[in-house]
Amino acid sequence: MPTEAEVELLIADCTLWDGRAPDPLPHAGIWLRDRVIHWTGPMAACPSEARGAPCLDATGLTAIPGLIDAHLHVCWNGREPVHSLVHRDRDALLLEAVQTLERILASGTTAVRDVGGQEYMEMSLRRAVQAGHIRGPRMRTAGQIICMTGGHGHVVAREADGPEEVRKAAREQIKAGADLVKLMATGGAATPGQEVQATQLTVEEMAAAVQAAHAMGRRVAAHCHGTQGILDAVAAGVDSVEHGTYLTEEAAQRMVARGTALVLTLGVARPDETGHTPAQQAEAERLRPVLAALNDRVRESIAIARAHGVFIGAGSDAGGNALAPHDFSMAREVEHLVQMGFSAQEALTVATRHNARILGWESLLGTLEPGKRADVALLEGNPLEDLGALRRVAAVVQDGRRVL
Ligand SMILES: [Zn+2]
C-alpha cells in the first residue's frame, strides 16, 4: 500500500471544466498528488514528471469538480416518510445509510451537508468516512434539528422553547460534534398537519442559537418557507435560509445586507411521479397540493433573489420525505435549476463553487485548481451541452484516489 503522500494520479486527455472558466478546456490533464490538485492544463503542456504518474485515460470524458449537495438527510432513504423511519430498527437504518453514502458518491457528489439527522447516526457515518472504514462523500453534519415543541420535524428534533433552551439545544449539537446548527423558522410540508407559512421559532430563540453557534465557529442554517420566517431568521443572524419559498424584495435586500445565503431545494418539491410504492403514492397525494403551491411561488422567489444578487446554493433535500430518494439527486437539482432559468454553467457553478462556500469549504473544494483537494467527477459527455451527462458518471476521484 502506498502511503498518503505517495498517492499520485494523472487524469489524461479529458475535457476540463474547472468550475471557474466559462468554457471547458479540451485535451486537458489534471495531475493529482498528495491528495491535492498539483497541476491542470492542456495535455501538450503536461509536466514530464506527471507523465510518470499512474494514468487514468479520460478520452471522451469531461472532468468537473465533484458535485456538492448543500442540503440533504443521509439517515433517511427518501422512499419512506421520516415519521415512519424513526420507528425502524436503528442498526438497519444505519446500514442502509452506509449504502446511501455509496450511492451519493457514485453519482459524482463528493461532499454533502446533512441538515438534520437521527440520534447522531450521521456523526458516526461522517467519522467512518473520515477514517476510511466506509466510502462516502465528505460530510458536514448538523446533528438534530432544533424546533419548537411540536414544530416541523419534531419526531426527530431536539424540541426547545425560549432563548435559553434553544441556546442549550444548539450547544448540545456542537458538543455531539455538529459542524453547523439547523433551526426550524417555519412549518414544513413533510410534517403532517403543518402550515408552511406559519412562523415557529422566534427571532429571540434563533438569535440565541446563532450566538452560541457563532461563538464556537459554527454556522446556522434555518428552514424557512413563509416570508415572516425568512425575515425572522435573517434578523436573528442565520447564515443560510433553506428553501426560501416565499422570498420578497424586502427579505432579499436584508439577506444581501447581512450576507445571508439562500439554499434552494427545487427537486424535493417536484418529485418523480413514476415507480411509486402504494405508501409513496399515498404520500404523493397528501403532499401534491402543498408542493404545487411551493413550486408556483419559488419561481418568483428565484427571480427576486437573482435580481438582488442573493448568494445562491442548492441542495437536493434527499431523504427529507418519502418522495426524495438518494438517486442522482444533485443531477436532478441541477436539471431543476436549469428549468428555472439558470444556464447549465450557472447551475453547475451553484452545485460546486457556491455550495463549497455554503459548506465553509471554499478553500478546499468547489473548483479544480492547484492546491485544492482532488475531488473530481468524470462524466461521459459534456454536461454544459447535455445535462444527461450528470447521470453518466464514468469515474469518481476523491482526495486524489479513484473511488469509482
Ligand atoms: Zn431538509
mmCIF file with all atom_site columns, all heavy atoms in Angstrom, residues 213-232:
data_model
loop_
_atom_site.group_PDB
_atom_site.id
_atom_site.type_symbol
_atom_site.label_atom_id
_atom_site.label_alt_id
_atom_site.label_comp_id
_atom_site.label_asym_id
_atom_site.label_entity_id
_atom_site.label_seq_id
_atom_site.pdbx_PDB_ins_code
_atom_site.Cartn_x
_atom_site.Cartn_y
_atom_site.Cartn_z
_atom_site.occupancy
_atom_site.B_iso_or_equiv
_atom_site.pdbx_formal_charge
_atom_site.auth_seq_id
_atom_site.auth_comp_id
_atom_site.auth_asym_id
_atom_site.auth_atom_id
_atom_site.pdbx_PDB_model_num
ATOM 1   N N   . ALA A 1 213 ? -23.736 29.297 18.379 1.00 0.00 ? 213 ALA A N   1
ATOM 2   C CA  . ALA A 1 213 ? -23.039 28.613 17.281 1.00 0.00 ? 213 ALA A CA  1
ATOM 3   C C   . ALA A 1 213 ? -21.856 29.447 16.800 1.00 0.00 ? 213 ALA A C   1
ATOM 4   O O   . ALA A 1 213 ? -20.735 28.931 16.649 1.00 0.00 ? 213 ALA A O   1
ATOM 5   C CB  . ALA A 1 213 ? -24.006 28.344 16.129 1.00 0.00 ? 213 ALA A CB  1
ATOM 6   N N   . HIS A 1 214 ? -22.090 30.731 16.561 1.00 0.00 ? 214 HIS A N   1
ATOM 7   C CA  . HIS A 1 214 ? -21.005 31.580 16.051 1.00 0.00 ? 214 HIS A CA  1
ATOM 8   C C   . HIS A 1 214 ? -19.856 31.681 17.053 1.00 0.00 ? 214 HIS A C   1
ATOM 9   O O   . HIS A 1 214 ? -18.691 31.725 16.665 1.00 0.00 ? 214 HIS A O   1
ATOM 10  C CB  . HIS A 1 214 ? -21.541 32.966 15.702 1.00 0.00 ? 214 HIS A CB  1
ATOM 11  C CG  . HIS A 1 214 ? -22.355 32.981 14.437 1.00 0.00 ? 214 HIS A CG  1
ATOM 12  N ND1 . HIS A 1 214 ? -22.960 34.102 13.940 1.00 0.00 ? 214 HIS A ND1 1
ATOM 13  C CD2 . HIS A 1 214 ? -22.660 31.990 13.548 1.00 0.00 ? 214 HIS A CD2 1
ATOM 14  C CE1 . HIS A 1 214 ? -23.595 33.818 12.808 1.00 0.00 ? 214 HIS A CE1 1
ATOM 15  N NE2 . HIS A 1 214 ? -23.443 32.535 12.560 1.00 0.00 ? 214 HIS A NE2 1
ATOM 16  N N   . ALA A 1 215 ? -20.205 31.675 18.330 1.00 0.00 ? 215 ALA A N   1
ATOM 17  C CA  . ALA A 1 215 ? -19.157 31.751 19.354 1.00 0.00 ? 215 ALA A CA  1
ATOM 18  C C   . ALA A 1 215 ? -18.225 30.543 19.272 1.00 0.00 ? 215 ALA A C   1
ATOM 19  O O   . ALA A 1 215 ? -17.060 30.621 19.655 1.00 0.00 ? 215 ALA A O   1
ATOM 20  C CB  . ALA A 1 215 ? -19.797 31.828 20.739 1.00 0.00 ? 215 ALA A CB  1
ATOM 21  N N   . MET A 1 216 ? -18.758 29.433 18.759 1.00 0.00 ? 216 MET A N   1
ATOM 22  C CA  . MET A 1 216 ? -17.942 28.230 18.633 1.00 0.00 ? 216 MET A CA  1
ATOM 23  C C   . MET A 1 216 ? -17.568 27.949 17.178 1.00 0.00 ? 216 MET A C   1
ATOM 24  O O   . MET A 1 216 ? -17.188 26.824 16.827 1.00 0.00 ? 216 MET A O   1
ATOM 25  C CB  . MET A 1 216 ? -18.670 27.041 19.260 1.00 0.00 ? 216 MET A CB  1
ATOM 26  C CG  . MET A 1 216 ? -18.860 27.270 20.762 1.00 0.00 ? 216 MET A CG  1
ATOM 27  S SD  . MET A 1 216 ? -19.541 25.844 21.616 1.00 0.00 ? 216 MET A SD  1
ATOM 28  C CE  . MET A 1 216 ? -18.107 24.782 21.737 1.00 0.00 ? 216 MET A CE  1
ATOM 29  N N   . GLY A 1 217 ? -17.675 28.970 16.327 1.00 0.00 ? 217 GLY A N   1
ATOM 30  C CA  . GLY A 1 217 ? -17.202 28.849 14.946 1.00 0.00 ? 217 GLY A CA  1
ATOM 31  C C   . GLY A 1 217 ? -18.079 28.009 14.049 1.00 0.00 ? 217 GLY A C   1
ATOM 32  O O   . GLY A 1 217 ? -17.624 27.504 13.025 1.00 0.00 ? 217 GLY A O   1
ATOM 33  N N   . ARG A 1 218 ? -19.348 27.836 14.432 1.00 0.00 ? 218 ARG A N   1
ATOM 34  C CA  . ARG A 1 218 ? -20.266 27.066 13.593 1.00 0.00 ? 218 ARG A CA  1
ATOM 35  C C   . ARG A 1 218 ? -21.269 27.991 12.922 1.00 0.00 ? 218 ARG A C   1
ATOM 36  O O   . ARG A 1 218 ? -21.650 29.012 13.493 1.00 0.00 ? 218 ARG A O   1
ATOM 37  C CB  . ARG A 1 218 ? -21.061 26.048 14.437 1.00 0.00 ? 218 ARG A CB  1
ATOM 38  C CG  . ARG A 1 218 ? -20.437 24.688 14.502 1.00 0.00 ? 218 ARG A CG  1
ATOM 39  C CD  . ARG A 1 218 ? -19.128 24.704 15.239 1.00 0.00 ? 218 ARG A CD  1
ATOM 40  N NE  . ARG A 1 218 ? -18.723 23.360 15.614 1.00 0.00 ? 218 ARG A NE  1
ATOM 41  C CZ  . ARG A 1 218 ? -17.746 23.106 16.458 1.00 0.00 ? 218 ARG A CZ  1
ATOM 42  N NH1 . ARG A 1 218 ? -17.073 24.084 17.018 1.00 0.00 ? 218 ARG A NH1 1
ATOM 43  N NH2 . ARG A 1 218 ? -17.433 21.852 16.747 1.00 0.00 ? 218 ARG A NH2 1
ATOM 44  N N   . ARG A 1 219 ? -21.725 27.564 11.759 1.00 0.00 ? 219 ARG A N   1
ATOM 45  C CA  . ARG A 1 219 ? -22.747 28.323 11.049 1.00 0.00 ? 219 ARG A CA  1
ATOM 46  C C   . ARG A 1 219 ? -24.137 27.824 11.411 1.00 0.00 ? 219 ARG A C   1
ATOM 47  O O   . ARG A 1 219 ? -24.290 26.750 11.981 1.00 0.00 ? 219 ARG A O   1
ATOM 48  C CB  . ARG A 1 219 ? -22.542 28.180 9.544  1.00 0.00 ? 219 ARG A CB  1
ATOM 49  C CG  . ARG A 1 219 ? -21.258 28.840 9.105  1.00 0.00 ? 219 ARG A CG  1
ATOM 50  C CD  . ARG A 1 219 ? -21.134 28.852 7.609  1.00 0.00 ? 219 ARG A CD  1
ATOM 51  N NE  . ARG A 1 219 ? -19.816 29.383 7.256  1.00 0.00 ? 219 ARG A NE  1
ATOM 52  C CZ  . ARG A 1 219 ? -19.363 29.468 6.032  1.00 0.00 ? 219 ARG A CZ  1
ATOM 53  N NH1 . ARG A 1 219 ? -20.111 29.060 5.027  1.00 0.00 ? 219 ARG A NH1 1
ATOM 54  N NH2 . ARG A 1 219 ? -18.160 29.963 5.793  1.00 0.00 ? 219 ARG A NH2 1
ATOM 55  N N   . VAL A 1 220 ? -25.118 28.618 11.023 1.00 0.00 ? 220 VAL A N   1
ATOM 56  C CA  . VAL A 1 220 ? -26.512 28.277 11.313 1.00 0.00 ? 220 VAL A CA  1
ATOM 57  C C   . VAL A 1 220 ? -27.331 28.312 10.034 1.00 0.00 ? 220 VAL A C   1
ATOM 58  O O   . VAL A 1 220 ? -27.250 29.273 9.258  1.00 0.00 ? 220 VAL A O   1
ATOM 59  C CB  . VAL A 1 220 ? -27.112 29.254 12.350 1.00 0.00 ? 220 VAL A CB  1
ATOM 60  C CG1 . VAL A 1 220 ? -28.573 28.906 12.627 1.00 0.00 ? 220 VAL A CG1 1
ATOM 61  C CG2 . VAL A 1 220 ? -26.300 29.219 13.639 1.00 0.00 ? 220 VAL A CG2 1
ATOM 62  N N   . ALA A 1 221 ? -28.095 27.250 9.809  1.00 0.00 ? 221 ALA A N   1
ATOM 63  C CA  . ALA A 1 221 ? -28.997 27.160 8.657  1.00 0.00 ? 221 ALA A CA  1
ATOM 64  C C   . ALA A 1 221 ? -30.418 27.135 9.199  1.00 0.00 ? 221 ALA A C   1
ATOM 65  O O   . ALA A 1 221 ? -30.696 26.455 10.186 1.00 0.00 ? 221 ALA A O   1
ATOM 66  C CB  . ALA A 1 221 ? -28.722 25.875 7.875  1.00 0.00 ? 221 ALA A CB  1
ATOM 67  N N   . ALA A 1 222 ? -31.307 27.888 8.541  1.00 0.00 ? 222 ALA A N   1
ATOM 68  C CA  . ALA A 1 222 ? -32.695 27.928 9.008  1.00 0.00 ? 222 ALA A CA  1
ATOM 69  C C   . ALA A 1 222 ? -33.657 27.510 7.908  1.00 0.00 ? 222 ALA A C   1
ATOM 70  O O   . ALA A 1 222 ? -33.635 28.070 6.802  1.00 0.00 ? 222 ALA A O   1
ATOM 71  C CB  . ALA A 1 222 ? -33.042 29.337 9.493  1.00 0.00 ? 222 ALA A CB  1
ATOM 72  N N   . HIS A 1 223 ? -34.474 26.518 8.237  1.00 0.00 ? 223 HIS A N   1
ATOM 73  C CA  . HIS A 1 223 ? -35.553 26.087 7.339  1.00 0.00 ? 223 HIS A CA  1
ATOM 74  C C   . HIS A 1 223 ? -36.621 27.180 7.345  1.00 0.00 ? 223 HIS A C   1
ATOM 75  O O   . HIS A 1 223 ? -37.157 27.512 8.407  1.00 0.00 ? 223 HIS A O   1
ATOM 76  C CB  . HIS A 1 223 ? -36.113 24.758 7.854  1.00 0.00 ? 223 HIS A CB  1
ATOM 77  C CG  . HIS A 1 223 ? -37.491 24.432 7.367  1.00 0.00 ? 223 HIS A CG  1
ATOM 78  N ND1 . HIS A 1 223 ? -37.713 23.504 6.376  1.00 0.00 ? 223 HIS A ND1 1
ATOM 79  C CD2 . HIS A 1 223 ? -38.706 24.901 7.724  1.00 0.00 ? 223 HIS A CD2 1
ATOM 80  C CE1 . HIS A 1 223 ? -39.027 23.424 6.154  1.00 0.00 ? 223 HIS A CE1 1
ATOM 81  N NE2 . HIS A 1 223 ? -39.650 24.261 6.962  1.00 0.00 ? 223 HIS A NE2 1
ATOM 82  N N   . CYS A 1 224 ? -36.905 27.737 6.153  1.00 0.00 ? 224 CYS A N   1
ATOM 83  C CA  . CYS A 1 224 ? -37.882 28.837 6.049  1.00 0.00 ? 224 CYS A CA  1
ATOM 84  C C   . CYS A 1 224 ? -38.706 28.693 4.783  1.00 0.00 ? 224 CYS A C   1
ATOM 85  O O   . CYS A 1 224 ? -38.152 28.694 3.683  1.00 0.00 ? 224 CYS A O   1
ATOM 86  C CB  . CYS A 1 224 ? -37.183 30.190 5.920  1.00 0.00 ? 224 CYS A CB  1
ATOM 87  S SG  . CYS A 1 224 ? -35.965 30.628 7.148  1.00 0.00 ? 224 CYS A SG  1
ATOM 88  N N   . HIS A 1 225 ? -40.008 28.613 4.918  1.00 0.00 ? 225 HIS A N   1
ATOM 89  C CA  . HIS A 1 225 ? -40.877 28.749 3.738  1.00 0.00 ? 225 HIS A CA  1
ATOM 90  C C   . HIS A 1 225 ? -41.526 30.130 3.726  1.00 0.00 ? 225 HIS A C   1
ATOM 91  O O   . HIS A 1 225 ? -41.337 30.910 2.816  1.00 0.00 ? 225 HIS A O   1
ATOM 92  C CB  . HIS A 1 225 ? -41.947 27.649 3.714  1.00 0.00 ? 225 HIS A CB  1
ATOM 93  C CG  . HIS A 1 225 ? -41.416 26.304 3.341  1.00 0.00 ? 225 HIS A CG  1
ATOM 94  N ND1 . HIS A 1 225 ? -40.771 26.066 2.149  1.00 0.00 ? 225 HIS A ND1 1
ATOM 95  C CD2 . HIS A 1 225 ? -41.437 25.117 4.001  1.00 0.00 ? 225 HIS A CD2 1
ATOM 96  C CE1 . HIS A 1 225 ? -40.421 24.785 2.089  1.00 0.00 ? 225 HIS A CE1 1
ATOM 97  N NE2 . HIS A 1 225 ? -40.804 24.191 3.195  1.00 0.00 ? 225 HIS A NE2 1
ATOM 98  N N   . GLY A 1 226 ? -42.329 30.434 4.757  1.00 0.00 ? 226 GLY A N   1
ATOM 99  C CA  . GLY A 1 226 ? -43.085 31.692 4.779  1.00 0.00 ? 226 GLY A CA  1
ATOM 100 C C   . GLY A 1 226 ? -42.192 32.920 4.891  1.00 0.00 ? 226 GLY A C   1
ATOM 101 O O   . GLY A 1 226 ? -41.070 32.861 5.398  1.00 0.00 ? 226 GLY A O   1
ATOM 102 N N   . THR A 1 227 ? -42.723 34.054 4.428  1.00 0.00 ? 227 THR A N   1
ATOM 103 C CA  . THR A 1 227 ? -41.949 35.304 4.388  1.00 0.00 ? 227 THR A CA  1
ATOM 104 C C   . THR A 1 227 ? -41.523 35.758 5.780  1.00 0.00 ? 227 THR A C   1
ATOM 105 O O   . THR A 1 227 ? -40.368 36.145 5.994  1.00 0.00 ? 227 THR A O   1
ATOM 106 C CB  . THR A 1 227 ? -42.790 36.425 3.730  1.00 0.00 ? 227 THR A CB  1
ATOM 107 O OG1 . THR A 1 227 ? -43.188 35.968 2.435  1.00 0.00 ? 227 THR A OG1 1
ATOM 108 C CG2 . THR A 1 227 ? -41.989 37.704 3.599  1.00 0.00 ? 227 THR A CG2 1
ATOM 109 N N   . GLN A 1 228 ? -42.454 35.719 6.740  1.00 0.00 ? 228 GLN A N   1
ATOM 110 C CA  . GLN A 1 228 ? -42.101 36.217 8.072  1.00 0.00 ? 228 GLN A CA  1
ATOM 111 C C   . GLN A 1 228 ? -40.987 35.376 8.691  1.00 0.00 ? 228 GLN A C   1
ATOM 112 O O   . GLN A 1 228 ? -40.094 35.904 9.365  1.00 0.00 ? 228 GLN A O   1
ATOM 113 C CB  . GLN A 1 228 ? -43.334 36.246 8.988  1.00 0.00 ? 228 GLN A CB  1
ATOM 114 C CG  . GLN A 1 228 ? -43.099 36.969 10.307 1.00 0.00 ? 228 GLN A CG  1
ATOM 115 C CD  . GLN A 1 228 ? -42.656 38.423 10.102 1.00 0.00 ? 228 GLN A CD  1
ATOM 116 O OE1 . GLN A 1 228 ? -43.261 39.162 9.330  1.00 0.00 ? 228 GLN A OE1 1
ATOM 117 N NE2 . GLN A 1 228 ? -41.576 38.826 10.776 1.00 0.00 ? 228 GLN A NE2 1
ATOM 118 N N   . GLY A 1 229 ? -41.026 34.064 8.440  1.00 0.00 ? 229 GLY A N   1
ATOM 119 C CA  . GLY A 1 229 ? -39.965 33.191 8.943  1.00 0.00 ? 229 GLY A CA  1
ATOM 120 C C   . GLY A 1 229 ? -38.614 33.550 8.349  1.00 0.00 ? 229 GLY A C   1
ATOM 121 O O   . GLY A 1 229 ? -37.585 33.519 9.036  1.00 0.00 ? 229 GLY A O   1
ATOM 122 N N   . ILE A 1 230 ? -38.598 33.901 7.059  1.00 0.00 ? 230 ILE A N   1
ATOM 123 C CA  . ILE A 1 230 ? -37.340 34.315 6.415  1.00 0.00 ? 230 ILE A CA  1
ATOM 124 C C   . ILE A 1 230 ? -36.832 35.600 7.086  1.00 0.00 ? 230 ILE A C   1
ATOM 125 O O   . ILE A 1 230 ? -35.660 35.700 7.474  1.00 0.00 ? 230 ILE A O   1
ATOM 126 C CB  . ILE A 1 230 ? -37.532 34.556 4.899  1.00 0.00 ? 230 ILE A CB  1
ATOM 127 C CG1 . ILE A 1 230 ? -37.980 33.268 4.189  1.00 0.00 ? 230 ILE A CG1 1
ATOM 128 C CG2 . ILE A 1 230 ? -36.238 35.094 4.278  1.00 0.00 ? 230 ILE A CG2 1
ATOM 129 C CD1 . ILE A 1 230 ? -38.385 33.462 2.726  1.00 0.00 ? 230 ILE A CD1 1
ATOM 130 N N   . LEU A 1 231 ? -37.734 36.569 7.239  1.00 0.00 ? 231 LEU A N   1
ATOM 131 C CA  . LEU A 1 231 ? -37.333 37.846 7.856  1.00 0.00 ? 231 LEU A CA  1
ATOM 132 C C   . LEU A 1 231 ? -36.815 37.631 9.276  1.00 0.00 ? 231 LEU A C   1
ATOM 133 O O   . LEU A 1 231 ? -35.811 38.221 9.687  1.00 0.00 ? 231 LEU A O   1
ATOM 134 C CB  . LEU A 1 231 ? -38.530 38.818 7.872  1.00 0.00 ? 231 LEU A CB  1
ATOM 135 C CG  . LEU A 1 231 ? -38.983 39.339 6.496  1.00 0.00 ? 231 LEU A CG  1
ATOM 136 C CD1 . LEU A 1 231 ? -40.337 40.036 6.603  1.00 0.00 ? 231 LEU A CD1 1
ATOM 137 C CD2 . LEU A 1 231 ? -37.933 40.290 5.905  1.00 0.00 ? 231 LEU A CD2 1
ATOM 138 N N   . ASP A 1 232 ? -37.507 36.764 10.023 1.00 0.00 ? 232 ASP A N   1
ATOM 139 C CA  . ASP A 1 232 ? -37.091 36.486 11.404 1.00 0.00 ? 232 ASP A CA  1
ATOM 140 C C   . ASP A 1 232 ? -35.707 35.835 11.440 1.00 0.00 ? 232 ASP A C   1
ATOM 141 O O   . ASP A 1 232 ? -34.851 36.194 12.260 1.00 0.00 ? 232 ASP A O   1
ATOM 142 C CB  . ASP A 1 232 ? -38.102 35.554 12.097 1.00 0.00 ? 232 ASP A CB  1
ATOM 143 C CG  . ASP A 1 232 ? -39.423 36.248 12.407 1.00 0.00 ? 232 ASP A CG  1
ATOM 144 O OD1 . ASP A 1 232 ? -39.514 37.473 12.223 1.00 0.00 ? 232 ASP A OD1 1
ATOM 145 O OD2 . ASP A 1 232 ? -40.367 35.536 12.820 1.00 0.00 ? 232 ASP A OD2 1
#
